[in-house]
Every structure is written in C-alpha cells, then in structure tokens.
C-alpha cells in the first residue's frame, strides 16, 4: 500500500506526495501534528508520511485481529473499500481510495447474510429479509427467549459478525374486527 499524509485541516499535507498512478493501492491517513516517542525519551509532535503509514499499519493489524478468518489480501481490500471518499477525498489522483476510516472497516461491508448450508460456499440469504412476525401471546415469549442469543452472520467479504436474535421477532400489530371474523364462519349474528 502507498500512504499519503493529510494535515490537521484534513487536506493533503504540503510535504506529502500524491497518489497518482498508485491510486488503486493508495490511502490517506493523518500525518501532521502526531504525538510520537522522541529520541532520548519523552514525546514530540511529528509531521510526515512516516507518521501516516503507522496509522494504516495499525488499522490493518486491528482488522487482522478482528477478522482472523480473512486473508491478508481481503483485509487490505476491506481497508480500501471502506475508505472515506466524500468531499475532497473523491480526488483519486491525490487521495487514492480515500481517507482511512477504521470505524467503517470494522462494520459489515455490503449485505449481511445468514448461511443456510453446511459450508461457507453454500447458499445464503440476506439478513435484511429475516423477520418473524407473531402475535403478542407467542411473540413476547419468543422475543424474550431469543434476546441475548447470537447468530453468526457474514458480510459480502465473508467477515463474521454476531447479532442478537431478539430484534428479529416483531410483534404483529393485530387489531381484531370481531364482526368480520365471525362472518367468515357462516351466518352468525354479530349484533350480540
């Protein structure tokens, strides 16, 4: 990866190269006003791409620890596809894939799915399509039973996340029209 430094205003630092032809493998990170260990002990404020590169290295290490099931190549891709590409960071010639966004990289990328087969290569379905709607009598009990239980879900890069099952049970808003219900069962007097 190539790393460019941004200054404290968020713009490319005056001392930093631009991504240029390496834009597909380049990312921006903070490089100005970084408090770092100083020679001889203590700390000093430093500036440079040498201050930006450790941000990217640390982010990759965190992702590797968080998602041990992912290959190094997928982790690098995850960091690049989750980079902030808003505002000035849309200029790939300067900022490459954008500004490092570790928060986005630790969240699901793309749709989350639940595996339905015995292996990770088998069919799956989107988690957004998963809801159980039940009436209050049964729904409350099931919701309580499932709350706190976790389900493993996978994002588009097959990173594993765990979600609480309780919110997937929704209580149906059931308002009963008793006269209409009774009419379904034949000639029933609904006046009494």
């Amino acid at each position: 990866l190539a790393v460019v430094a941004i200054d404290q205003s968020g713009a490319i630092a005056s001392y930093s190269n631009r991504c240029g032809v390496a834009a597909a493998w380049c990312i921006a990170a903070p490089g100005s006003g970084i408090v770092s260990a100083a020679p001889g002990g203590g700390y000093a404020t430093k500036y440079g791409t040498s201050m930006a590169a450790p941000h990217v290295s640390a982010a990759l290490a965190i992702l590797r620890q968080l998602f041990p099931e992912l290959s190094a190549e997928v982790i690098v891709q995850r960091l690049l596809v989750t980079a902030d590409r808003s505002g000035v960071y849309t200029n790939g010639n300067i900022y490459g894939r954008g500004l490092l966004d570790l928060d986005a990289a630790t969240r699901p990328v793309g749709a989350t799915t639940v595996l339905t087969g015995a292996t990770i290569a088998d069919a799956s379905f989107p988690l957004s399509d998963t809801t159980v709607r039940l009436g209050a009598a049964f729904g409350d009990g099931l919701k309580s039973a499932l709350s706190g239980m976790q389900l493993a879900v996978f994002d588009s890069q097959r990173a594993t996340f765990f979600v609480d099952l309780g919110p997937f049970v929704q209580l149906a808003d059931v308002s009963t029209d008793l006269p209409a219900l009774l009419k379904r069962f034949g000639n029933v007097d609904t006046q009494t």
Side-chain angles (χ1 to χ4, degrees):
L1 287 176
V3 179
V4 298
I6 60 168
D7 62 22
Q8 291 168 318
S9 74
I12 191 79
S14 61
Y15 52 78
S16 180
N17 285 334
R18 291 6 180 202
C19 289
V21 297
W25 297 99
C26 188
I27 193 165
S32 296
I34 307 299
V35 177
S36 179
Y43 297 94
T45 302
K46 307 267 183 152
Y47 298 82
T49 54
S50 293
M51 296 294 104
H55 282 87
V56 175
S57 297
L60 290 168
I62 289 168
L63 293 175
R64 186 68 168 161
Q65 181 180 13
L66 194 59
F67 306 113
E69 71 275 14
L70 299 181
S71 69
E73 180 181 349
V74 172
I75 287 175
V76 168
Q77 280 301 318
R78 183 177 202 86
L79 196 69
L80 294 173
V81 300
T82 59
D84 179 356
R85 294 206 32 99
S86 64
V88 297
Y89 306 117
T90 60
N91 187 335
N93 285 328
I94 297 175
Y95 301 100
R97 299 293 287 272
L99 178 64
L100 171 70
D101 186 345
L102 184 57
D103 182 52
T106 61
R107 296 179 185 276
V109 173
T112 52
T113 57
V114 177
L115 297 181
T116 58
T119 70
I120 202 161
D122 288 338
S124 60
F125 61 91
L127 189 59
S128 59
D129 294 345
T130 308
T131 303
V132 179
R133 295 198 61 174
L134 300 168
F138 187 68
D140 280 342
L142 185 60
K143 188 173 186 77
S144 294
L146 292 177
S147 289
M149 294 184 74
Q150 294 188 327
L151 173 69
V153 298
F154 302 88
D155 72 2
S156 63
Q157 293 185 328
R158 297 295 190 204
T160 309
F161 294 86
F162 295 92
V163 296
D164 187 321
L165 288 173
F168 290 100
V169 178
Q170 295 179 358
L171 302 181
D173 183 18
V174 179
S175 57
T176 305
D177 181 356
L178 187 56
L181 184 62
L182 291 174
K183 282 184 183 178
R184 289 179 48 201
F185 293 101
N187 193 7
V188 178
D189 181 9
T190 60
Q191 301 300 318
T192 57

